[in-house]
Amino acid sequence: MDEVEFDKFADEYRAMHAANIRLSGEDPEYFAEYKVIDIAAELRRENIVARRALDFGAGVGYSVPFFARHFPATRVTCLDVSRKSLDVGAARLGDAAEFTHFDGRTIPFPDGTFDVALASCVFHHIPHDEHVALLAEIRRVLNPGGRLFVFEHNPLNPLTRYAVNTCEFDEHAKLVLAPTMRRRARDAGFVAADVRYRIFFPHLLRRLRPLEARLTWLPLGAQYYVAARKAS
Ligand SMILES: C[S@@+](CC[C@H](N)C(=O)[O-])C[C@H]1O[C@@H](n2cnc3c(N)ncnc32)[C@H](O)[C@@H]1O
């Protein structure tokens, strides 16, 4: 495949991202880790042990150190259409994960390979009319009972919109409302699809963050995730 959009950001991705989110007072690692912590909490609640995890659209592999911390027994596969991003990730993270390129359509793994799949801030970079087919493809490579977690920017949050509108690598981004992403997960065959809103308080107000667990219903968080399941 020819160069894809994120190839040109691969080397500078972290620096660009850090500059873009500085209003939040947090660094990219904060945003990467909270997602893995949330997934760990969701799986723990249901006594699910993940042997294999798919990070769909993993880019340079932000999630990998946090999978190592919160899922030490889980084998992680980072999948992306950007070879350059995967190369940067592999050079930095070595064999902490497996880095796999794909054509943006067919995930090169057999049915039922993974127990959990994460897509972090990926779908707003993919044309909306491809979402359901790609979600169905993720569903194919999950085990029956496997869990999907799609994290996205919340277009209803004004600071999120500002950050996206001023971010070079979001130039072509098309944000997705949470109920729309939940409907797409259902249309792709997932069940038990739920939305949880996240990230209400910047670093300055971090003492209030314990309240966030009670605010996941409120559509004002900077991000959200759709959690869903492949029926057993
Ligand atoms: C904003 S980056 C997010 C990277 C990573 N998930 C993170 O949280 O840092 C978006 C990523 O989506 C990838 N991407 C774009 N189109 C894709 C597709 N069709 N399938 C999978 N990944 C895609 C890009 O190459 C890029 O690495």
Side-chain angles (χ1 to χ4, degrees):
M1 187 188 261
D2 296 337
E3 184 176 80
V4 296
E5 186 179 23
F6 273 77
D7 283 352
K8 61 177 179 290
F9 304 124
D11 287 324
E12 297 304 320
Y13 180 73
R14 191 190 175 283
M16 290 168 81
H17 188 200
N20 184 246
I21 59 176
R22 68 179 177 280
L23 268 182
S24 72
E26 298 292 356
D27 58 21
E29 287 68 31
Y30 172 79
F31 284 90
E33 185 167 23
Y34 98 77
K35 295 173 175 102
V36 179
I37 290 175
D38 278 11
I39 295 171
E42 295 257 4
L43 298 192
R44 209 177 308 117
R45 264 201 294 280
E46 300 186 64
N47 285 323
I48 294 173
V49 177
R51 286 172 307 105
R52 290 196 67 173
L54 174 68
D55 186 345
F56 177 88
V60 297
Y62 268 4
S63 71
V64 172
F66 305 112
F67 269 104
R69 184 176 297 168
H70 301 287
F71 288 86
T74 303
R75 182 169 152 206
V76 179
T77 298
C78 292
L79 187 78
D80 207 287
V81 293
S82 164
R83 280 187 203 281
K84 184 86 191 292
S85 301
L86 294 166
D87 289 348
V88 168
R92 189 169 63 93
L93 298 158
D95 54 12
E98 155 182 305
F99 292 85
T100 304
H101 179 258
F102 91 123
D103 63 4
R105 269 187 287 279
T106 307
I107 300 176
F109 287 94
D111 297 6
T113 301
F114 300 97
D115 306 297
V116 61
L118 155 72
S120 160
C121 299
V122 178
F123 276 89
H124 59 266
H125 293 290
I126 298 176
H128 284 212
D129 60 1
E130 295 176 20
H131 286 188
V132 173
L134 273 174
L135 288 164
E137 181 60 2
I138 296 175
R139 182 177 165 278
R140 180 186 68 75
V141 296
L142 280 171
N143 276 317
R147 293 306 199 270
L148 167 75
F149 296 93
V150 179
F151 285 80
E152 276 296 325
H153 297 315
N154 181 12
L156 299 180
N157 180 296
L159 288 179
T160 295
R161 291 182 83 97
Y162 174 78
V164 170
N165 288 338
T166 54
C167 180
E168 200 181 332
F169 62 69
D170 282 335
E171 188 191 346
H172 304 294
K174 296 233 175 338
L175 299 185
V176 193
L177 289 163
T180 304
M181 186 53 83
R182 176 177 51 200
R183 194 184 62 239
R184 288 180 184 161
R186 288 175 179 156
D187 289 349
F190 283 98
V191 297
D194 278 326
V195 170
R196 313 208 205 296
Y197 292 93
R198 296 291 280 111
I199 310 297
F200 291 82
F201 303 109
H203 184 79
L204 211 59
L205 299 177
R206 62 193 175 285
R207 290 215 173 79
L208 297 177
R209 283 180 180 161
L211 294 176
E212 292 202 0
R214 294 199 227 154
L215 296 175
T216 54
W217 58 273
L218 184 65
L220 288 177
Q223 300 195 324
Y224 67 83
Y225 65 93
V226 171
R229 177 162 55 83
K230 176 172 175 174
S232 311

